[in-house]
Amino acid sequence: MQKQSCCGSPGVDYCFSSPLGCINVTSCSSGLHAMKLDENITDENFSPNKRTKVQLLRGDLENEPEIIQQCLKWLQMYFTSPKLLINVSRPDICCFKQLSPGFHTRVWQTLADTVGPGEVITYGALATMLKNPGAVRAVGSAMRNNPNAIIVPCHRVVRSNSMGLYHGGKLQKVKLWLLNHEGVNKFT
């Protein structure tokens, strides 16, 4: 199925298996439009399986675009050894290529570029990093609307006194699993 994105190019949908369940990816030849957990995953049915191999479901990887091959390598490294992601190029993300990115895009790019696996940042610190310390709620809005989960690590953004919400509070177990997987255990 083809969809339009921020780059204006039609996107193509793919699905990867993962320890969290199906990860749906939409991309074009320029980069990723979206990376989301299957919409059927909830806190009530979340059942991660670390033994699940990350692979492309449906399709022949050798015939898929380079961006999908990069995405597979990135996801495989993330679910195997997240601290080693520095050795794997992050697939391009279309909205990061905009000439005049909006506030949400600047938040996502700053987060993706500066907060690595095993690290967390507060909403306020991220707003300050963007030279807009009063924009804490706007940062929260950007996190709620993040189209590229995991690769733009909104799970690493926390409240000053708690873990904070993930997907509007619907995927708290997923956020905790992702943080623990990366070595952040202070919310357990």
Side-chain angles (χ1 to χ4, degrees):
M1 172 189 284
Q2 293 197 347
K3 300 175 182 175
Q4 289 294 114
S5 82
C6 64
C7 71
S9 298
V12 178
D13 293 330
Y14 298 89
C15 184
F16 294 91
S17 59
S18 84
L20 301 178
C22 185
I23 295 177
N24 298 305
V25 172
T26 304
S27 72
C28 69
S29 59
S30 297
L32 299 180
H33 295 185
M35 178 185 287
K36 298 181 181 214
L37 292 175
D38 187 275
E39 63 187 31
N40 294 320
I41 297 172
T42 66
D43 273 345
E44 289 75 34
N45 67 15
F46 181 57
S47 180
N49 183 348
K50 276 209 173 241
R51 294 185 309 246
T52 301
K53 183 178 178 182
V54 177
Q55 59 189 8
L56 178 65
L57 301 176
R58 300 178 305 271
D60 178 15
L61 187 62
E62 291 180 15
N63 295 322
E64 299 301 344
E66 178 67 25
I67 191 72
I68 293 304
Q69 295 177 34
Q70 291 173 343
C71 193
L72 176 65
K73 288 176 188 170
W74 192 94
L75 285 168
Q76 286 173 331
M77 182 59 73
Y78 178 81
F79 285 107
T80 304
S81 301
K83 301 257 185 198
L84 297 178
L85 278 174
I86 58 171
N87 300 323
V88 178
S89 296
R90 179 181 70 211
D92 287 334
I93 297 173
C94 286
C95 68
F96 290 3
K97 296 178 177 183
Q98 293 175 338
L99 292 177
S100 298
F103 182 77
H104 282 189
T105 300
R106 288 186 296 125
V107 172
W108 300 327
Q109 185 161 16
T110 300
L111 174 63
D113 290 347
T114 60
V115 183
E119 301 173 355
V120 293
I121 189 169
T122 64
Y123 294 93
L126 187 52
T128 299
M129 191 179 285
L130 290 157
K131 297 181 178 20
N132 196 343
V136 175
R137 287 184 182 210
V139 167
S141 174
M143 296 303 99
R144 272 189 307 284
N145 293 291
N146 176 14
N148 286 289
I150 304 173
I151 201 162
V152 174
C154 54
H155 60 278
R156 295 182 194 145
V157 182
V158 299
R159 291 182 178 163
S160 58
N161 61 353
S162 69
M163 184 174 74
L165 302 177
Y166 194 60
H167 287 270
K170 297 175 186 162
L171 296 176
Q172 295 305 96
K173 290 180 181 178
V174 175
K175 181 172 185 166
L176 183 60
W177 189 95
L178 291 167
L179 291 171
N180 288 338
H181 173 66
E182 295 179 9
V184 177
N185 298 308
K186 69 182 192 176
F187 301 108
T188 306

